[in-house]
Amino acid sequence: MTDSPRPNGHHGTPLAPAPSPGTGTSTTDTPGSGASGSGKRRDAFFDNAKYLAIVLVAVGHFWEPIKDDSQFLQAAYTVVYAFHMPAFIIISGYFSRSFDMRPDRLRRLITGIVVPYIVFETAYSLFKRVVDSDPQHEISLLDPWYLTWFLCALFIWRLTTPIWKAVRHPLPLALGIAMLASASPQIGNDLDLQRVLQFLPYFVLGLCLRPEHFHLVRRRSVRILSVPVFVSALALAWPPGVLGGTGWLYHRDSAQELGAPWWAGPVMTLVLFGCCLLLTACFFAWVPGRHMWFTALGAGTLYGYLLHGFVMRAGEYRGWFEPSVLHGPAGAVAVTVFAAVLVTFLCSRPVQRVFRFVMEPRMEWAFKRDAAEPARGRGQGEKPAKQGAGETREAREIQEQVSA
């Protein structure tokens, strides 16, 4: 996820989020599992991870306009971009393990991902036209712009989930596809497929993970070892332009588009997968497993992800980052705090209530009634008569994936 401009004027970014049921006790069910009414409690670890990751996403975006004046900020930006997107995608894959082509799950996929994608892809383009005085800016659903690429990618990844569950060695296959994509500039910008394919291994890895794998990285010994790992990563990222700059971390372009020979793409894909996975594991090691003051905010990270971009873009369009005071140490701290507070507010329940009609639309009118759904509801102890409430819960479940 990055908002760095492409040469052709397109932008990209990570993030992602998940609204929770309005009740005090929410669930962290696998999307489409139908367990939203089962009374299972949400796992605080994953909500904490989503909240902390979305804060890093927002902070990274707000660092973008001021990082060139500080070597430390450039290094920190590089390290953060190495793991915050993989962390989101791995969690997305983990919560997509039960996805199949059942009608109710496809319906949730449409209301939870496709509808927000269409709305925000259009909204961001119109926002640029008006606020940036660029009336010619194109509105295209085939070329994701800025933050919306992740929704497009998640839609494609989840549709292919049954394939990854069927093949014998899914992760090596996904890595092979990513390596080929990194050496294929002809893929182009449609649906941001270059990024979809290069980030694919992290999603497939999430599909392969089990709860015990997350417990392994949360041990005290791993937490202690993660400190020198982060320090070493920061030191390695300190020289400007290390490894050709952050272009490789965006996974947005092929090796040739980054000015490297074709063979560098597959090599860097493997190297970055190992390095980014190591830093992601270190990040997970420091995520609290208990309920924190911000745990509930982890269920609203889609809101923070999609909405903070309007403030960020307004700042770039209107020159808010140009004052010299923001380009010093004190300015960097102020920008960091502002970004963290902003995204925290945007993940809150009041904001969720205001924008729920877009993020979690009730669209019973758009779909045929699934004859098997009442039977599934009875099997899960739910009352099939409450179709509206059930559909809302389903829409919220799909957000669990987006927040990953």
Side-chain angles (χ1 to χ4, degrees):
M1 286 176 323
T2 175
D3 56 356
S4 299
R6 288 176 176 271
N8 62 7
H10 292 275
H11 303 257
T13 322
L15 199 268
S20 72
T23 59
T25 301
S26 53
T27 60
T28 310
D29 304 311
T30 302
S33 66
S36 59
S38 64
K40 293 182 180 179
R41 294 184 63 84
R42 296 176 66 98
D43 189 330
F45 169 78
F46 290 106
D47 276 336
N48 291 338
K50 289 184 289 186
Y51 168 75
L52 294 174
I54 199 62
V55 168
L56 291 175
V57 167
V59 167
H61 290 162
F62 277 82
W63 279 350
E64 177 75 27
I66 64 173
K67 66 181 178 64
D68 291 340
D69 295 300
S70 167
Q71 279 194 329
F72 175 79
L73 209 56
Q74 289 184 58
Y77 176 89
T78 300
V79 173
V80 166
Y81 264 75
F83 70 84
H84 71 32
M85 199 57 233
F88 267 120
I89 298 173
I90 287 172
I91 298 177
S92 292
Y94 179 76
F95 281 108
S96 296
R97 292 172 299 162
S98 68
F99 179 82
D100 55 26
M101 294 298 179
R102 212 170 70 184
D104 60 322
R105 292 174 179 171
L106 290 174
R107 183 168 64 243
R108 289 194 291 270
L109 189 65
I110 293 173
T111 57
I113 295 180
V114 176
V115 172
Y117 170 73
I118 293 173
V119 170
F120 279 90
E121 175 69 17
T122 303
Y124 271 113
S125 298
L126 292 175
F127 188 76
K128 179 172 176 58
R129 285 188 175 191
V130 175
V131 180
D132 196 29
S133 301
D134 183 9
Q136 303 304 316
H137 181 77
E138 181 182 10
I139 300 176
S140 173
L141 297 181
L142 295 179
D143 190 4
W145 190 71
Y146 196 35
L147 300 168
T148 58
W149 75 268
F150 184 66
L151 296 178
C152 181
L154 185 55
F155 176 74
I156 296 173
W157 292 332
R158 296 197 76 239
L159 281 181
T160 63
T161 294
I163 298 176
W164 302 113
K165 291 162 60 177
V167 299
R168 189 179 296 274
H169 303 294
L171 186 56
L173 178 59
L175 276 170
I177 292 174
M179 292 166 67
L180 289 174
S182 68
S184 305
Q186 63 273 21
I187 288 178
N189 296 327
D190 290 348
L191 300 180
D192 222 340
L193 281 179
Q194 187 67 252
R195 185 148 32 189
V196 171
L197 297 177
Q198 289 195 39
F199 273 120
L200 175 63
Y202 300 100
F203 181 82
V204 175
L205 175 62
L207 290 174
C208 299
L209 293 178
R210 296 293 179 267
E212 55 267 27
H213 297 131
F214 288 96
H215 288 298
L216 285 175
V217 300
R218 293 164 60 188
R219 292 179 300 179
R220 187 168 184 268
S221 58
V222 178
R223 189 176 299 118
I224 294 173
L225 288 173
S226 67
V227 175
V229 171
F230 273 124
V231 172
S232 299
L234 197 63
L236 289 173
W238 193 277
V242 65
L243 298 178
T246 52
W248 293 103
L249 295 175
Y250 299 152
H251 294 78
R252 188 179 55 200
D253 302 296
S254 65
Q256 296 92 321
E257 291 171 311
L258 291 172
W262 70 268
W263 55 263
V267 171
M268 288 298 295
T269 297
L270 289 176
V271 170
L272 286 177
F273 183 74
C275 294
C276 295
L277 199 56
L278 176 61
L279 290 175
T280 301
C282 293
F283 167 71
F284 284 144
W286 279 95
V287 172
R290 64 185 184 280
H291 194 280
M292 309 290 289
W293 67 266
F294 54 79
T295 300
L297 298 173
T301 45
L302 178 60
Y303 294 81
Y305 173 69
L306 290 175
L307 294 173
H308 86 274
F310 289 105
V311 180
M312 174 64 203
R313 278 291 181 246
E316 289 188 334
Y317 299 155
R318 295 303 185 184
W320 296 349
F321 297 98
E322 293 177 2
S324 58
V325 66
L326 295 181
H327 294 256
V333 172
V335 169
T336 301
V337 172
F338 175 80
V341 171
L342 172 67
V343 78
T344 298
F345 168 72
L346 294 177
C347 292
S348 65
R349 289 192 183 277
V351 174
Q352 292 182 44
R353 285 194 291 268
V354 172
F355 291 96
R356 184 160 289 158
F357 75 100
V358 173
M359 309 288 198
E360 307 171 58
R362 294 188 179 188
M363 297 181 61
E364 299 96 326
W365 55 268
F367 302 101
K368 294 180 180 179
R369 181 178 177 83
D370 181 6
E373 189 169 5
R376 285 195 298 268
R378 286 194 295 273
Q380 295 158 2
E382 295 181 0
K383 296 180 180 179
K386 295 184 178 180
Q387 292 296 323
E391 189 66 28
T392 300
R393 287 195 299 270
E394 290 173 350
R396 286 170 179 161
E397 283 181 16
I398 194 62
Q399 306 301 343
E400 295 292 344
Q401 310 329 304
V402 183
S403 87

